[in-house]
Amino acid sequence: MRGGLAFVGAPAGHGLPLVEAPLPRGSERLRGNAGHAASGGLGTSGATCVGLAAAACVAAAAARRARSAVRRRAVDGPGGFYQKSIIPSGTTTSTMTEEEQEDFLEKRCDALEKLMPMSDQEFDDEVEELTWTWARHLLPYTNVARADKAAHKRKTILRQKAFFKKMRLFKPLAIKYPTLMKRLIVQDNPDMEDIRYKISGEWIANEEKIAGFTYEDFVKGIDGGKYTGWKLPQVGDEKEGTVVDFDDKGAFLDIGDKAWAFVPLDQVSLVPISKAEEVLKLGQTVKGKVICEGGHSRLIGDEFVTQFIVSITALESEAAWEAIDKITRGESDASPILQVSVMSMKSFGAVVMTETGLEALIPNSQLADRVGDTSLVGQTIGAQIFQQNVEKRNAGPALAPRDFALLLSYKNVATKELAAKLEEGMVVDATVKMPLEKSLDVMVDNVQCTIRKVDISGKTAFNLMQLFEVDEKIKVYVLSTTEESGEIRLSTRALERRPGEILRDKAGMFERAEATAKMYLKSSRDARKALLSDLEDVLADLPGLAGGAPPKKPGGAIYLDDDDDDGGIGF
């Protein structure tokens, strides 16, 4: 459609609404007489005039052929010259007789007249106001050429008053540009002397068929041209639209505005994509937030129309952060474990992306043994929220660790998964990661765990860095696990038959680890049962929690290899 007007009556891709009415017979006779007078009864001067006239006609014909060639080049191909075929036009076929067209237009005009009434006096007043606008009578000077054009336009309207009263029902701008009507007739070679216009009913019907609604529906939607209740979207408004087209830079949405809204590629999805078609489909209904109004048009051939710029990621980001907040609040329907994809491995940690498209960082301190492990890139791992900064949620791309709004922990998730697999009393293999002054870091099933010095041996006067070597293979006893928090307590002290055995015979202690672990587990459970029984007896002797005192715990230590212990273990 050209110039913002949906004119009708032309071949496919060209909106021309008029058909040329036939010339009256009087005009034909006038032309015939004029031709006869020009061809005969002329003297020398007359012949000269004829020669000049013939030369002028030849020049005019050549100019017309040149214009016709340019016009043909301009309309070659679908959609016209330099115009992408965005709005379907279709081809008007002659399927209606003259009587059917007249009946169709009469019904349409009657219905539209009721919705947009205008009396003859109101029509004349509008013509006079337009005449003043064309001639600019309020200027302190008079432009004769402008006044003549205004008078010509006024005469054109009043001469075809019935036509323009009908035409304004379909094309309200027709009355503002009356002389352009002559250029929009359907004929290939229109006669500029013909001053009568006629609306093509077939084209009006074809427009309604393609659009999927009638002119009456449109006028009802705009409340008879009053546009009451219409409100343009504002920046920040949420709009629902239908995906209608794509290009290399994004997608077009029909949000009910005159022009389609545009969704830039970086606003289509939080997940990196190369084309909008990867996440959107034609006809799909999506929601977005208006982030710009009056944006430069992305439609080829429609350079003067502005568009709304819509962001789908704005709403996706809000929903994604709301899910993070639910986890932080500890709501029951929110899983604390996030599945994330490792995007890249940096010197300060792993840059990951959640399933909802949020970018996050797992610092090296929370990567456990996977620090600098580039094999993680492209893999999906579990992570837990470690820290978040609300102020940096909309701060833009993160370049440094301090720029990330969300920090995750891989270590916590790994320990939780390990805690779910371990049980009290188990003996598992471990590898010494790093002996420290007051603790020992070991790797159990590729998860880093820490053993306190007090859980290493029954005697405390020893140096961990002298007792263990890095990458040494050892065995550890599982004292307790807490799956909810991922806490795991390991011990080598429970594998000692006598305090300090690991300092004297470390290899032998690890060889007897499974047998010692069974004895320790039985003894520890028996001790807990006895303690619980004593506590119940004490509570029974304290009516109303008054009187009596709990018995003292039996003191002393029992050695596992002492014959007097009768196989019992106690602490």
Side-chain angles (χ1 to χ4, degrees):
M1 304 297 176
R2 293 195 169 189
L5 295 177
F7 292 114
V8 294
H14 305 279
L16 311 180
L18 311 178
V19 294
E20 188 177 20
L23 285 171
R25 293 183 179 179
S27 299
E28 294 176 357
R29 288 197 299 271
L30 180 61
R31 288 184 182 180
N33 295 335
H36 175 73
S39 61
L42 298 177
T44 304
S45 61
T48 303
C49 292
V50 170
L52 293 174
C57 290
V58 171
R64 281 197 299 271
R65 284 195 299 271
R67 287 196 298 270
S68 177
V70 172
R71 183 162 58 248
R72 284 195 298 272
R73 287 197 298 269
V75 300
D76 282 344
F81 189 58
Y82 288 147
Q83 186 173 2
K84 181 179 179 182
S85 182
I86 296 295
I87 302 175
S89 56
T91 303
T92 303
T93 56
S94 299
T95 58
M96 301 175 68
T97 64
E98 289 292 333
E99 292 76 12
E100 290 173 341
Q101 289 192 56
E102 291 179 1
D103 292 341
F104 172 79
L105 288 175
E106 183 178 358
K107 292 179 181 179
R108 281 287 182 269
C109 291
D110 291 343
L112 293 173
E113 188 67 41
K114 293 178 181 179
L115 297 173
M116 296 188 299
M118 178 179 283
S119 64
D120 289 341
Q121 184 62 45
E122 291 173 338
F123 183 82
D124 293 340
D125 291 343
E126 185 173 350
V127 173
E128 295 303 323
E129 289 182 6
L130 287 173
T131 303
W132 274 66
T133 302
W134 296 324
R136 302 184 184 180
H137 291 311
L138 297 179
L139 292 176
Y141 59 90
T142 301
N143 188 314
V144 178
R146 186 182 294 121
D148 291 343
K149 289 181 180 179
H152 176 63
K153 291 181 179 181
R154 179 179 180 274
K155 186 188 299 184
T156 300
I157 296 175
L158 295 180
R159 184 184 290 130
Q160 298 280 341
K161 185 175 180 179
F163 165 79
F164 280 99
K165 287 194 68 175
K166 288 183 179 180
M167 194 63 181
R168 64 106 189 169
L169 299 173
F170 301 99
K171 313 296 175 186
L173 290 180
I175 193 174
K176 189 174 181 181
Y177 304 97
T179 54
L180 287 179
M181 295 295 100
K182 175 58 66 176
R183 302 186 182 187
L184 299 174
I185 58 180
V186 175
Q187 304 294 333
D188 292 334
N189 298 298
D191 193 329
M192 299 304 292
E193 294 183 12
D194 192 358
I195 59 176
R196 297 183 302 167
Y197 303 150
K198 182 180 179 181
I199 302 176
S200 172
E202 287 182 343
W203 186 269
I204 297 293
N206 189 60
E207 275 198 325
E208 294 182 345
K209 178 182 177 181
I210 295 172
F213 56 89
T214 66
Y215 277 93
E216 297 173 51
D217 297 332
F218 178 74
V219 173
K220 290 178 182 178
I222 63 176
D223 193 17
K226 300 176 183 177
Y227 299 93
T228 56
W230 278 45
K231 182 181 178 182
L232 289 175
Q234 304 294 321
V235 175
D237 290 351
E238 295 184 11
K239 295 294 294 183
E240 187 175 89
T242 304
V243 180
V244 290
D245 200 7
F246 300 102
D247 71 1
D248 294 338
K249 297 181 180 180
F252 294 95
L253 294 184
D254 183 0
I255 61 172
D257 188 49
K258 176 183 177 182
W260 293 340
F262 184 71
V263 186
L265 189 61
D266 59 348
Q267 300 294 329
V268 172
S269 174
L270 290 173
V271 179
I273 56 175
S274 58
K275 291 185 179 180
E277 295 95 317
E278 295 179 16
V279 293
L280 299 178
K281 296 181 180 178
L282 287 177
Q284 179 181 350
T285 300
V286 297
K287 288 185 177 181
K289 178 179 287 188
V290 178
I291 60 175
C292 177
E293 54 182 342
H296 180 68
S297 175
R298 264 74 171 180
L299 295 180
I300 301 175
D302 201 8
E303 57 183 323
F304 300 109
V305 175
T306 59
Q307 294 176 296
F308 287 99
I309 308 301
V310 176
S311 171
I312 299 176
T313 60
L315 296 184
E316 290 183 348
S317 178
E318 292 179 3
W321 281 113
E322 176 59 26
I324 296 297
D325 291 338
K326 291 177 66 175
I327 297 175
T328 305
R329 292 192 296 266
E331 297 187 10
S332 57
D333 59 338
S335 173
I337 306 299
L338 297 173
Q339 296 299 317
V340 298
S341 299
V342 181
M343 308 301 293
S344 62
M345 187 66 68
K346 304 292 185 181
S347 59
F348 47 79
V351 178
V352 299
M353 181 168 289
T354 66
E355 292 178 321
T356 54
L358 293 180
E359 190 178 49
L361 173 68
I362 303 180
N364 286 335
S365 61
Q366 301 299 318
L367 272 175
D369 64 317
R370 310 305 292 269
V371 175
D373 188 355
T374 56
S375 65
L376 281 178
V377 177
Q379 295 187 20
T380 300
I381 61 175
Q384 189 177 13
I385 297 176
F386 175 63
Q387 182 180 343
Q388 61 171 317
N389 191 334
V390 179
E391 298 177 355
K392 296 181 180 178
R393 287 184 174 181
N394 300 315
L399 301 176
R402 61 178 178 276
D403 299 331
F404 287 87
L406 183 63
L407 300 181
L408 303 178
S409 173
Y410 168 73
K411 180 174 68 174
N412 290 350
V413 174
T415 55
K416 283 185 177 183
E417 294 176 351
L418 180 61
K421 295 189 296 183
L422 300 181
E423 295 180 0
E424 181 189 3
M426 294 178 62
V427 176
V428 294
D429 295 327
T431 302
V432 176
K433 180 73 174 180
M434 179 65 66
L436 303 173
E437 183 179 355
K438 295 183 178 180
S439 63
L440 177 67
D441 290 342
V442 297
M443 299 298 299
V444 178
D445 199 10
N446 292 325
V447 178
Q448 182 172 328
C449 302
T450 300
I451 305 176
R452 299 180 301 173
K453 186 176 181 179
V454 68
D455 291 324
I456 295 295
S457 176
K459 290 189 176 182
T460 58
F462 62 94
N463 189 327
L464 280 173
M465 290 179 281
Q466 295 178 354
L467 182 61
F468 295 100
E469 296 180 358
V470 176
D471 294 333
E472 181 181 354
K473 305 297 183 181
I474 64 173
K475 292 184 178 181
V476 295
Y477 178 88
V478 181
L479 286 174
S480 63
T481 61
T482 305
E483 184 176 349
E484 291 77 11
S485 62
E487 182 182 357
I488 302 173
R489 187 180 177 189
L490 303 177
S491 172
T492 56
R493 176 182 177 179
L495 302 179
E496 291 183 325
R497 298 176 65 86
R498 296 179 62 88
E501 182 179 4
I502 192 173
L503 305 178
R504 299 188 299 270
D505 185 13
K506 182 169 59 174
M509 185 194 75
F510 288 142
E511 289 179 2
R512 299 184 294 269
E514 284 73 13
T516 307
K518 291 180 181 179
M519 299 173 59
Y520 184 88
L521 178 62
K522 181 179 182 303
S523 176
S524 60
R525 288 179 175 177
D526 291 343
R528 281 198 297 269
K529 288 181 181 179
L531 180 61
L532 182 60
S533 178
D534 293 341
L535 182 60
E536 290 175 352
D537 293 341
V538 170
L539 293 177
D541 295 338
L542 297 175
L545 299 180
K552 294 182 179 180
K553 288 184 180 181
I558 301 178
Y559 300 145
L560 296 181
D561 57 352
D562 194 338
D563 295 337
D564 297 334
D565 295 337
D566 295 330
I569 300 178
F571 290 93

